[in-house]
Amino acid sequence: MKIPKITLEDHVAVPGTADKVPDRFEPEAWQKISHALLDIHGQLLSDMDAAGIGMSVLSLNCPAIQGIPDKKRAVEAARRANDYLAEQVARNPKRFQAFAALPLQDPDAAAKELVRCVKQLGFRGALVNSFSQIDVDDSAVYYDLPQYWDFWGTVESLDVPFYLHPRDPLPSRMTSFDGQPWLRGSVWGFTVDTATHALRLMSCGIFDKYPKLTVILGHLGETLPFLMWRIDNRISMASRGCPAKKKLGEYFKKNFYVTTSGQFCTQSLLDTILWLGADRILFSVDHPFEKMSVAANWFDNLDTISEADWLKMARGNAERVLKLDAAK
Ligand code: MN
């Protein structure tokens, strides 16, 4: 039995913000992508229909708000973007929901914006593009730091998920990529930064203080299912003052969900099921950077998992984690 799938990682752009071609794209390729980022009720919806996808949870394209070092501008841009997302959801709420963009350059403002988005606009959680640049371009601030702990308390108390989405490491902090620009971006750079950010969160102790906090990772967990045993094994021999009370893998199993966005690979899915169980894995695409038809063709034809697990990953888990029964 196939049911309309839900996908949690599809990106859109606020009109006027997708004109500049990012470094990692050729201008012609970006023209197509930027059109798709803007055409929510046309191309995105028809791609969903063709792929048997019933609902998409919209979020901004990266780095979005995280790449605006000026705090005031970041706060204003997040508010404008979230109002725009809310308008798009209101046009077709059965097919679209949204994750809030957050100005984590200012943790208090980010917490307030999340409350507004969840309580007033009916958003399903937040999607944040990894670290924030703050005040100066060459800065990368991660959310394990003490100034973010109250923010995490707000996320837990709202009982909504925080989707930690990739962005490229800053060139000044990733000299190991020098001379090989093709390894940047979604090829490898995204993964290195996002997996590191997730490990920073697991090891800083926030999940001891906020045990009900929920974080979602895309791309089948950004390599962590493959590496978690070794990380815990090595940290147990040299913890170097790591404040987390449990093995990091315990937080991974209890506080994290992962999606299949951009990682339509059966071997990787099976490894992730062995780590997290089918209850913590959610089908997703990563439109328009991945084709919905490719994702659906892979997922709909998986013959190595049970129908019960397939149904959970296709839709059931998303309905539970995003509380879609309560969606307006
Ligand atoms: Mn994405």
Side-chain angles (χ1 to χ4, degrees), residues 279-297:
D279 287 340
R280 288 189 170 267
I281 300 168
L282 307 101
F283 172 75
S284 289
V285 177
D286 203 357
H287 187 276
F289 303 98
E290 302 286 346
K291 285 193 166 59
M292 288 193 153
S293 56
V294 174
N297 192 41

Side-chain angles (χ1 to χ4, degrees), residues 11-12 31-40 43-44 287-288:
H11 304 298
V12 303
Q31 201 177 5
K32 279 189 190 158
I33 287 172
S34 61
H35 175 265
L37 288 166
L38 294 164
D39 193 15
I40 298 167
Q43 187 180 332
L44 174 55
H287 187 276

Side-chain angles (χ1 to χ4, degrees), residues 5-40:
K5 297 178 284 296
I6 296 173
T7 164
L8 289 81
E9 195 191 310
D10 301 313
H11 304 298
V12 303
V14 178
T17 64
D19 301 338
K20 189 166 167 267
V21 183
D23 291 345
R24 63 183 193 278
F25 288 98
E26 301 295 334
E28 277 176 25
W30 184 248
Q31 201 177 5
K32 279 189 190 158
I33 287 172
S34 61
H35 175 265
L37 288 166
L38 294 164
D39 193 15
I40 298 167

Side-chain angles (χ1 to χ4, degrees), residues 35 39-53 92 95-96 287 292-293:
H35 175 265
D39 193 15
I40 298 167
H41 303 280
Q43 187 180 332
L44 174 55
L45 197 57
S46 67
D47 286 353
M48 288 163 62
D49 287 339
I53 291 169
N92 197 349
R95 305 300 300 278
F96 296 118
H287 187 276
M292 288 193 153
S293 56

Side-chain angles (χ1 to χ4, degrees), residues 37-104:
L37 288 166
L38 294 164
D39 193 15
I40 298 167
H41 303 280
Q43 187 180 332
L44 174 55
L45 197 57
S46 67
D47 286 353
M48 288 163 62
D49 287 339
I53 291 169
M55 178 182 284
S56 168
V57 186
L58 305 177
S59 55
L60 293 190
N61 179 43
C62 82
I65 309 301
Q66 273 57 64
I68 305 174
D70 184 279
K71 284 182 192 166
K72 192 159 170 278
R73 276 191 54 226
V75 171
E76 288 166 359
R79 195 174 172 93
R80 269 199 311 277
N82 290 326
D83 286 344
Y84 172 77
L85 288 170
E87 285 165 21
Q88 308 318 307
V89 171
R91 281 179 63 179
N92 197 349
K94 290 205 167 105
R95 305 300 300 278
F96 296 118
Q97 291 290 313
F99 283 131
L102 295 180
L104 281 153

